[in-house]
Amino acid sequence: MRTLFIVPTPIGNLEDMTLRALRVLREVALIAAEDTRTTRVLLNHYEIRTPLTSYHEHNKLTKLDAIFTALETGDVALVSDAGTPGISDPGYELIKEAIAHGYRVEPLPGATALIPALVASGLPTDGFVYIGFLPRKDRALRDFLKELALERRTWISYESPHRLIDTLEILRSVLGERPVCVARELSKVYEEFFRGTVSQALAHYTANPPRGEIVIVIGGHVAEPEAAWDEARVREALFARLDEGEPLSSAAKAIAQKSGWERRTVYALGAERD
Ligand code: SAM
């Protein structure tokens, strides 16, 4: 059974091509590329002569049969213009169908924009949500952000430079102030990380209109700490339970747990009332 290799290519710096990726691109029978002209520049740089065919957004379904025919007689590598195919790039349908047809799918680890942006953002990396490109229309973006507003993990999205300011403004109006990191031109000469609040990022990019390629990393929702319970609040919550007929001992225990007050103090408030 032949193999479909998923081969990442650099997102800016040609040195980010791995040795394994170069070997696989040399050895496969065919390379399916998002844009054959872009990939040819890369292949010429590394003197790779493997035949190329196009596999892009507009032919990704009609091209499946041709790629499966090629897979009958040799291995195929899938590449996109930059980074990892399948990550906001064509690839998903081919990979899904290749799995369904029983072909071996072998992914090579390598360049992608989201991971470097995340790890250098200074925002929590223990859990994160990749949301790809944000919706373009104002209304759709607001609805999307509202749905995600309580997400606690760090968010990562791709953005274009001419939409960055509008996106940050809508972010601030829907979510309020959040920590963000705008990672620009990763791995390239003018690589830049802007770390701060949404307002600070807005001020920075209004003064210095952004150019190049951008990843926005957004801090997740942080729950407000519960306001401390004062005596009036403890009494009110406790008496409400007692009025419903709950025994003092269990009501005192429950309110002590919720409020952080000592159980016997809560119990005493209930006992005093009688
Ligand atoms: N497949 C790619 C990956 O693995 O990251 C993503 C392809 S997507 C069509 C292109 C978007 O990725 C750009 O608009 C930008 O948001 C982000 N991107 C790609 N290269 C980048 C770079 N060098 N610096 C920052 N963002 C980049």
Side-chain angles (χ1 to χ4, degrees), residues 8-13 34 80-90 110-115 117 130 133 157-161 183-188 191 212-216:
T9 54
I11 58 166
N13 187 327
E34 183 181 4
S80 61
D81 285 353
T84 300
I87 300 295
S88 298
D89 264 347
T112 187
L114 69 117
I115 297 297
Y130 171 63
F133 285 98
S157 76
Y158 287 169
E159 192 50 282
S160 73
R184 215 172 52 79
E185 296 288 88
L186 287 159
S187 80
K188 301 185 197 175
E191 179 178 272
E213 297 192 283
I214 287 175
V215 183
I216 314 180

